[in-house]
Amino acid sequence: MALALDPAAQDLLFREARTANTFTDEPVTEEQVQAIYDLVKYGPTAFNQSPLRLTLLRSSEARERLLAHMAEGNVPKTRTAPLTAILSYDLDFHERLPELFPHAPHIKDAFFAEESAREGAGALNATLQAGYFILGVRAAGLAAGPMTGFDPEGVNKEFFGDGRQRVLLVVNIGKPGPDAFAPRSPRLSYDDVVTSL
């Protein structure tokens, strides 16, 4: 095998992992989420901009606020997951660039003075970070249930009223429950996706 990562870790992160649709009631602790973030924060983003923000919904009141904006098929699993995270990007990520990219502090104004530039870069790089986050959830021995079936404008208004954050996806997190996983869907082969020039 050409991979340096242990086969058991490969299985945990990729081959055996699935999107979970049911969860046990075992809580997901603050310490677990902190450990996940402390691992995945090292994933690369352009100029180290790190625009991803996590909003953790632990209370039933916060969960109900979200459920009003979820697609009907996503409501039951979101209602019963031990933890739900709203993954969003911060439109003002550039304000932290002098701290996060100190060897080139001019980047903040040279590339990101316009909000339209920040919107595109923020969405792209936070999406990268969302992928890292899902892998981090798996690395913690938990299952992730990422969803895009929701009303983004409704979620933004409900949770980010000032408009400085924009939702990317919602992720249910926890230990998988009964019948949590659908059968593995097919994947494209190497030859289907790779072109060598």
Side-chain angles (χ1 to χ4, degrees):
M1 171 92 32
L3 300 176
L5 190 65
D6 177 87
Q10 295 172 35
D11 288 343
L12 178 69
L13 297 178
F14 296 99
R15 286 190 288 262
E16 299 300 324
R18 302 280 203 294
T19 294
N21 292 301
T22 68
F23 298 90
T24 70
D25 58 3
E26 183 178 329
V28 176
T29 67
E30 194 70 29
E31 293 77 17
Q32 286 173 301
V33 179
Q34 174 91 46
I36 291 165
Y37 178 74
D38 285 343
L39 174 66
V40 304
K41 68 183 179 184
Y42 294 108
T45 57
F47 301 117
N48 198 32
Q49 59 192 243
S50 306
L52 183 71
R53 302 295 180 264
L54 305 173
T55 303
L56 304 178
L57 305 184
R58 294 189 180 278
S59 71
S60 57
E61 295 81 12
R63 192 74 57 103
E64 288 301 318
R65 289 171 55 201
L66 175 65
L67 292 177
H69 306 287
M70 298 299 293
E72 185 178 334
N74 290 331
V75 169
K77 57 189 169 185
T78 304
R79 178 174 278 125
T80 58
L83 179 64
T84 299
I86 300 173
L87 277 58
S88 60
Y89 64 97
D90 183 356
L91 278 171
D92 294 328
F93 71 83
H94 67 305
E95 297 294 346
R96 302 294 297 269
L97 284 175
E99 168 192 350
L100 296 173
F101 208 63
H103 52 285
H106 67 283
I107 295 296
K108 171 184 176 284
D109 297 317
F111 289 94
F112 301 112
E114 299 295 324
E115 185 168 300
S116 60
R118 296 195 306 273
E119 190 166 286
L124 174 64
N125 286 279
T127 300
L128 283 173
Q129 290 184 284
Y132 306 146
F133 180 77
I134 291 167
L135 289 175
V137 168
R138 293 173 173 182
L142 301 169
M147 300 169 288
T148 56
F150 55 84
D151 171 20
E153 288 183 21
V155 173
N156 286 337
K157 185 175 179 182
E158 184 72 37
F159 291 93
F160 314 121
D162 64 1
R164 304 319 298 163
Q165 284 179 235
R166 306 275 170 82
V167 64
L168 289 171
L169 67 152
V170 173
V171 182
N172 290 323
I173 303 167
K175 292 283 187 182
D179 303 314
F181 306 117
R184 170 76 77 193
S185 294
R187 297 298 194 266
L188 295 174
S189 73
Y190 180 86
D191 291 335
D192 290 329
V193 299
V194 175
T195 302
S196 294
L197 302 176

Short mmCIF file of all heavy atoms in Angstrom, two decimals, residues 36-37 40-41 43-45 50-54 85-89 122-138 144-148 166-171 173:
data_model
loop_
_atom_site.label_atom_id
_atom_site.label_comp_id
_atom_site.label_asym_id
_atom_site.label_seq_id
_atom_site.Cartn_x
_atom_site.Cartn_y
_atom_site.Cartn_z
N ILE A 36 -11.58 17.96 18.42
CA ILE A 36 -11.78 17.93 16.97
C ILE A 36 -11.23 19.20 16.34
O ILE A 36 -10.45 19.16 15.38
CB ILE A 36 -13.28 17.74 16.64
CG1 ILE A 36 -13.74 16.33 17.03
CG2 ILE A 36 -13.54 18.01 15.15
CD1 ILE A 36 -15.25 16.17 17.09
N TYR A 37 -11.63 20.35 16.89
CA TYR A 37 -11.17 21.61 16.31
C TYR A 37 -9.65 21.74 16.42
O TYR A 37 -8.98 22.19 15.47
CB TYR A 37 -11.84 22.82 16.96
CG TYR A 37 -11.28 24.08 16.35
CD1 TYR A 37 -11.64 24.45 15.06
CD2 TYR A 37 -10.32 24.83 17.02
CE1 TYR A 37 -11.07 25.56 14.45
CE2 TYR A 37 -9.74 25.94 16.42
CZ TYR A 37 -10.12 26.30 15.14
OH TYR A 37 -9.54 27.38 14.54
N VAL A 40 -8.24 19.75 13.47
CA VAL A 40 -8.53 20.14 12.09
C VAL A 40 -8.14 21.58 11.77
O VAL A 40 -8.08 21.94 10.59
CB VAL A 40 -10.01 19.89 11.73
CG1 VAL A 40 -10.37 18.43 11.96
CG2 VAL A 40 -10.96 20.81 12.48
N LYS A 41 -7.84 22.38 12.78
CA LYS A 41 -7.46 23.76 12.50
C LYS A 41 -6.15 23.85 11.70
O LYS A 41 -5.85 24.90 11.13
CB LYS A 41 -7.32 24.55 13.80
CG LYS A 41 -6.15 24.13 14.69
CD LYS A 41 -6.14 24.90 15.98
CE LYS A 41 -5.00 24.48 16.88
NZ LYS A 41 -5.05 25.19 18.18
N GLY A 43 -5.56 22.18 8.94
CA GLY A 43 -5.80 22.00 7.51
C GLY A 43 -5.59 23.32 6.78
O GLY A 43 -5.94 24.39 7.28
N PRO A 44 -5.01 23.28 5.58
CA PRO A 44 -4.66 24.51 4.89
C PRO A 44 -5.86 25.27 4.32
O PRO A 44 -6.85 24.67 3.89
CB PRO A 44 -3.75 24.03 3.75
CG PRO A 44 -4.15 22.62 3.51
CD PRO A 44 -4.57 22.08 4.84
N THR A 45 -5.75 26.59 4.35
CA THR A 45 -6.65 27.50 3.64
C THR A 45 -5.77 28.57 2.99
O THR A 45 -4.64 28.79 3.42
CB THR A 45 -7.67 28.18 4.59
OG1 THR A 45 -6.97 28.87 5.62
CG2 THR A 45 -8.61 27.17 5.21
N SER A 50 -8.75 30.94 7.34
CA SER A 50 -9.54 30.28 8.39
C SER A 50 -10.91 30.93 8.63
O SER A 50 -11.22 31.34 9.75
CB SER A 50 -8.74 30.27 9.70
OG SER A 50 -7.47 29.68 9.49
N PRO A 51 -11.78 30.99 7.62
CA PRO A 51 -13.05 31.69 7.78
C PRO A 51 -14.17 30.87 8.42
O PRO A 51 -15.23 31.42 8.72
CB PRO A 51 -13.42 32.06 6.35
CG PRO A 51 -12.85 30.95 5.53
CD PRO A 51 -11.56 30.57 6.23
N LEU A 52 -13.96 29.57 8.65
CA LEU A 52 -15.03 28.73 9.20
C LEU A 52 -15.38 29.14 10.62
O LEU A 52 -14.50 29.41 11.44
CB LEU A 52 -14.62 27.26 9.19
CG LEU A 52 -15.68 26.27 9.68
CD1 LEU A 52 -16.81 26.15 8.67
CD2 LEU A 52 -15.06 24.91 9.94
N ARG A 53 -16.68 29.16 10.91
CA ARG A 53 -17.18 29.38 12.26
C ARG A 53 -18.17 28.27 12.59
O ARG A 53 -18.91 27.81 11.72
CB ARG A 53 -17.86 30.75 12.40
CG ARG A 53 -16.96 31.93 12.05
CD ARG A 53 -15.79 32.08 13.02
NE ARG A 53 -14.94 33.21 12.68
CZ ARG A 53 -13.82 33.14 11.97
NH1 ARG A 53 -13.41 31.96 11.49
NH2 ARG A 53 -13.09 34.21 11.73
N LEU A 54 -18.17 27.83 13.84
CA LEU A 54 -19.04 26.75 14.31
C LEU A 54 -20.03 27.29 15.32
O LEU A 54 -19.63 27.94 16.30
CB LEU A 54 -18.21 25.64 14.97
CG LEU A 54 -17.07 25.04 14.17
CD1 LEU A 54 -16.26 24.08 15.03
CD2 LEU A 54 -17.60 24.33 12.94
N ALA A 85 -24.27 21.11 14.66
CA ALA A 85 -23.39 22.26 14.42
C ALA A 85 -23.80 22.95 13.13
O ALA A 85 -24.02 22.29 12.11
CB ALA A 85 -21.93 21.80 14.32
N ILE A 86 -23.93 24.26 13.20
CA ILE A 86 -24.10 25.06 11.99
C ILE A 86 -22.72 25.52 11.58
O ILE A 86 -22.01 26.18 12.35
CB ILE A 86 -25.01 26.28 12.24
CG1 ILE A 86 -26.39 25.84 12.71
CG2 ILE A 86 -25.11 27.15 10.98
CD1 ILE A 86 -27.30 26.99 13.13
N LEU A 87 -22.30 25.15 10.39
CA LEU A 87 -21.00 25.55 9.86
C LEU A 87 -21.22 26.73 8.93
O LEU A 87 -22.01 26.64 7.98
CB LEU A 87 -20.32 24.40 9.12
CG LEU A 87 -19.57 23.39 10.00
CD1 LEU A 87 -20.45 22.74 11.03
CD2 LEU A 87 -18.87 22.36 9.14
N SER A 88 -20.56 27.83 9.23
CA SER A 88 -20.74 29.07 8.47
C SER A 88 -19.38 29.67 8.19
O SER A 88 -18.36 29.22 8.70
CB SER A 88 -21.60 30.05 9.26
OG SER A 88 -20.98 30.37 10.50
N TYR A 89 -19.38 30.71 7.36
CA TYR A 89 -18.14 31.45 7.14
C TYR A 89 -18.33 32.90 7.56
O TYR A 89 -19.42 33.45 7.46
CB TYR A 89 -17.64 31.33 5.70
CG TYR A 89 -18.53 31.92 4.62
CD1 TYR A 89 -18.31 33.20 4.13
CD2 TYR A 89 -19.55 31.17 4.07
CE1 TYR A 89 -19.10 33.72 3.13
CE2 TYR A 89 -20.34 31.68 3.07
CZ TYR A 89 -20.12 32.96 2.59
OH TYR A 89 -20.91 33.49 1.60
N GLY A 122 -14.18 33.38 1.35
CA GLY A 122 -14.68 32.83 2.61
C GLY A 122 -15.47 31.55 2.41
O GLY A 122 -15.26 30.56 3.11
N ALA A 123 -16.36 31.54 1.40
CA ALA A 123 -17.16 30.34 1.15
C ALA A 123 -16.28 29.18 0.71
O ALA A 123 -16.44 28.05 1.18
CB ALA A 123 -18.22 30.65 0.09
N LEU A 124 -15.34 29.44 -0.19
CA LEU A 124 -14.47 28.37 -0.69
C LEU A 124 -13.61 27.78 0.43
O LEU A 124 -13.55 26.56 0.62
CB LEU A 124 -13.58 28.90 -1.81
CG LEU A 124 -12.52 27.91 -2.31
CD1 LEU A 124 -13.16 26.69 -2.94
CD2 LEU A 124 -11.60 28.59 -3.31
N ASN A 125 -12.96 28.64 1.19
CA ASN A 125 -12.02 28.15 2.20
C ASN A 125 -12.72 27.57 3.41
O ASN A 125 -12.24 26.61 4.02
CB ASN A 125 -11.04 29.26 2.58
CG ASN A 125 -10.03 29.48 1.48
OD1 ASN A 125 -9.06 28.74 1.38
ND2 ASN A 125 -10.27 30.45 0.61
N ALA A 126 -13.90 28.09 3.76
CA ALA A 126 -14.66 27.48 4.85
C ALA A 126 -15.21 26.11 4.42
O ALA A 126 -15.34 25.21 5.25
CB ALA A 126 -15.80 28.39 5.28
N THR A 127 -15.50 25.94 3.13
CA THR A 127 -15.93 24.64 2.65
C THR A 127 -14.80 23.62 2.79
O THR A 127 -15.04 22.47 3.18
CB THR A 127 -16.42 24.74 1.19
OG1 THR A 127 -17.53 25.65 1.15
CG2 THR A 127 -16.87 23.39 0.67
N LEU A 128 -13.56 24.04 2.47
CA LEU A 128 -12.42 23.17 2.74
C LEU A 128 -12.38 22.79 4.22
O LEU A 128 -12.22 21.61 4.57
CB LEU A 128 -11.11 23.88 2.39
CG LEU A 128 -10.71 23.99 0.94
CD1 LEU A 128 -9.47 24.88 0.81
CD2 LEU A 128 -10.43 22.62 0.36
N GLN A 129 -12.53 23.78 5.08
CA GLN A 129 -12.48 23.52 6.52
C GLN A 129 -13.63 22.63 6.98
O GLN A 129 -13.47 21.84 7.91
CB GLN A 129 -12.49 24.84 7.29
CG GLN A 129 -11.21 25.63 7.15
CD GLN A 129 -11.26 26.88 8.01
OE1 GLN A 129 -11.92 27.85 7.67
NE2 GLN A 129 -10.59 26.81 9.15
N ALA A 130 -14.78 22.74 6.33
CA ALA A 130 -15.92 21.88 6.67
C ALA A 130 -15.57 20.42 6.40
O ALA A 130 -15.91 19.53 7.18
CB ALA A 130 -17.17 22.30 5.91
N GLY A 131 -14.87 20.17 5.28
CA GLY A 131 -14.42 18.81 5.00
C GLY A 131 -13.46 18.30 6.06
O GLY A 131 -13.55 17.15 6.51
N TYR A 132 -12.53 19.17 6.47
CA TYR A 132 -11.61 18.77 7.54
C TYR A 132 -12.39 18.48 8.83
O TYR A 132 -12.07 17.53 9.56
CB TYR A 132 -10.59 19.88 7.85
CG TYR A 132 -9.79 20.40 6.69
CD1 TYR A 132 -9.43 21.76 6.64
CD2 TYR A 132 -9.37 19.59 5.64
CE1 TYR A 132 -8.67 22.26 5.59
CE2 TYR A 132 -8.62 20.09 4.59
CZ TYR A 132 -8.28 21.42 4.57
OH TYR A 132 -7.54 21.93 3.54
N PHE A 133 -13.41 19.30 9.10
CA PHE A 133 -14.19 19.12 10.32
C PHE A 133 -14.89 17.76 10.33
O PHE A 133 -14.89 17.06 11.34
CB PHE A 133 -15.20 20.26 10.46
CG PHE A 133 -16.06 20.17 11.69
CD1 PHE A 133 -15.55 20.53 12.94
CD2 PHE A 133 -17.37 19.72 11.61
CE1 PHE A 133 -16.34 20.43 14.08
CE2 PHE A 133 -18.16 19.62 12.74
CZ PHE A 133 -17.64 19.98 13.98
N ILE A 134 -15.47 17.38 9.22
CA ILE A 134 -16.14 16.08 9.14
C ILE A 134 -15.14 14.95 9.39
O ILE A 134 -15.43 14.00 10.12
CB ILE A 134 -16.86 15.93 7.78
CG1 ILE A 134 -18.05 16.89 7.73
CG2 ILE A 134 -17.31 14.49 7.56
CD1 ILE A 134 -18.65 17.07 6.36
N LEU A 135 -13.95 15.05 8.82
CA LEU A 135 -12.92 14.04 9.08
C LEU A 135 -12.51 14.06 10.55
O LEU A 135 -12.24 13.01 11.14
CB LEU A 135 -11.70 14.27 8.19
CG LEU A 135 -11.92 13.94 6.71
CD1 LEU A 135 -10.68 14.31 5.90
CD2 LEU A 135 -12.26 12.48 6.52
N GLY A 136 -12.45 15.23 11.16
CA GLY A 136 -12.12 15.33 12.58
C GLY A 136 -13.18 14.66 13.45
O GLY A 136 -12.85 14.00 14.44
N VAL A 137 -14.45 14.84 13.09
CA VAL A 137 -15.54 14.16 13.81
C VAL A 137 -15.33 12.65 13.75
O VAL A 137 -15.43 11.94 14.75
CB VAL A 137 -16.91 14.57 13.24
CG1 VAL A 137 -18.03 13.67 13.77
CG2 VAL A 137 -17.20 16.04 13.55
N ARG A 138 -14.99 12.15 12.57
CA ARG A 138 -14.73 10.72 12.41
C ARG A 138 -13.51 10.29 13.21
O ARG A 138 -13.51 9.21 13.81
CB ARG A 138 -14.54 10.40 10.93
CG ARG A 138 -15.79 10.58 10.10
CD ARG A 138 -15.50 10.42 8.62
NE ARG A 138 -16.73 10.43 7.82
CZ ARG A 138 -16.75 10.27 6.51
NH1 ARG A 138 -15.62 10.09 5.83
NH2 ARG A 138 -17.89 10.28 5.86
N ALA A 144 -20.79 11.79 11.61
CA ALA A 144 -21.28 13.08 11.16
C ALA A 144 -22.41 12.86 10.18
O ALA A 144 -22.38 11.94 9.37
CB ALA A 144 -20.16 13.88 10.50
N GLY A 145 -23.39 13.73 10.24
CA GLY A 145 -24.48 13.73 9.28
C GLY A 145 -24.60 15.10 8.65
O GLY A 145 -25.42 15.91 9.07
N PRO A 146 -23.74 15.41 7.65
CA PRO A 146 -23.79 16.74 7.02
C PRO A 146 -25.03 16.88 6.13
O PRO A 146 -25.43 15.93 5.46
CB PRO A 146 -22.50 16.79 6.21
CG PRO A 146 -22.12 15.39 5.97
CD PRO A 146 -22.67 14.58 7.10
N MET A 147 -25.62 18.07 6.15
CA MET A 147 -26.84 18.33 5.38
C MET A 147 -26.79 19.71 4.74
O MET A 147 -26.30 20.67 5.35
CB MET A 147 -28.06 18.27 6.31
CG MET A 147 -28.28 16.96 7.01
SD MET A 147 -29.53 17.07 8.30
CE MET A 147 -28.66 18.03 9.53
N THR A 148 -27.35 19.78 3.54
CA THR A 148 -27.57 21.08 2.89
C THR A 148 -29.06 21.31 2.67
O THR A 148 -29.43 22.31 2.05
CB THR A 148 -26.82 21.16 1.55
OG1 THR A 148 -27.23 20.07 0.71
CG2 THR A 148 -25.32 21.13 1.76
N ARG A 166 -22.41 33.49 7.10
CA ARG A 166 -23.30 32.84 6.14
C ARG A 166 -23.18 31.33 6.32
O ARG A 166 -22.08 30.78 6.31
CB ARG A 166 -22.91 33.20 4.71
CG ARG A 166 -22.83 34.69 4.42
CD ARG A 166 -24.19 35.29 4.08
NE ARG A 166 -24.15 36.73 4.03
CZ ARG A 166 -23.74 37.45 3.01
NH1 ARG A 166 -23.30 36.87 1.93
NH2 ARG A 166 -23.77 38.77 3.08
N VAL A 167 -24.32 30.67 6.44
CA VAL A 167 -24.35 29.22 6.65
C VAL A 167 -23.85 28.49 5.40
O VAL A 167 -24.14 28.91 4.27
CB VAL A 167 -25.76 28.75 7.04
CG1 VAL A 167 -26.77 29.00 5.94
CG2 VAL A 167 -25.76 27.28 7.44
N LEU A 168 -23.08 27.43 5.62
CA LEU A 168 -22.65 26.53 4.55
C LEU A 168 -23.41 25.21 4.63
O LEU A 168 -23.95 24.73 3.65
CB LEU A 168 -21.16 26.23 4.66
CG LEU A 168 -20.20 27.34 4.31
CD1 LEU A 168 -18.79 26.93 4.68
CD2 LEU A 168 -20.28 27.66 2.83
N LEU A 169 -23.37 24.59 5.81
CA LEU A 169 -24.06 23.34 6.01
C LEU A 169 -24.34 23.13 7.49
O LEU A 169 -23.82 23.85 8.34
CB LEU A 169 -23.28 22.15 5.44
CG LEU A 169 -21.97 21.75 6.06
CD1 LEU A 169 -21.75 20.26 5.85
CD2 LEU A 169 -20.82 22.48 5.39
N VAL A 170 -25.20 22.17 7.74
CA VAL A 170 -25.57 21.77 9.09
C VAL A 170 -25.09 20.34 9.26
O VAL A 170 -25.25 19.51 8.36
CB VAL A 170 -27.09 21.88 9.29
CG1 VAL A 170 -27.51 21.31 10.64
CG2 VAL A 170 -27.56 23.33 9.14
N VAL A 171 -24.47 20.05 10.42
CA VAL A 171 -23.91 18.72 10.65
C VAL A 171 -24.43 18.18 11.98
O VAL A 171 -24.20 18.79 13.03
CB VAL A 171 -22.37 18.75 10.67
CG1 VAL A 171 -21.81 17.34 10.87
CG2 VAL A 171 -21.81 19.37 9.40
N ILE A 173 -24.06 15.39 14.86
CA ILE A 173 -22.86 14.71 15.37
C ILE A 173 -23.25 13.82 16.54
O ILE A 173 -24.02 14.24 17.42
CB ILE A 173 -21.81 15.74 15.83
CG1 ILE A 173 -21.45 16.70 14.69
CG2 ILE A 173 -20.56 15.05 16.37
CD1 ILE A 173 -20.67 17.92 15.15
#
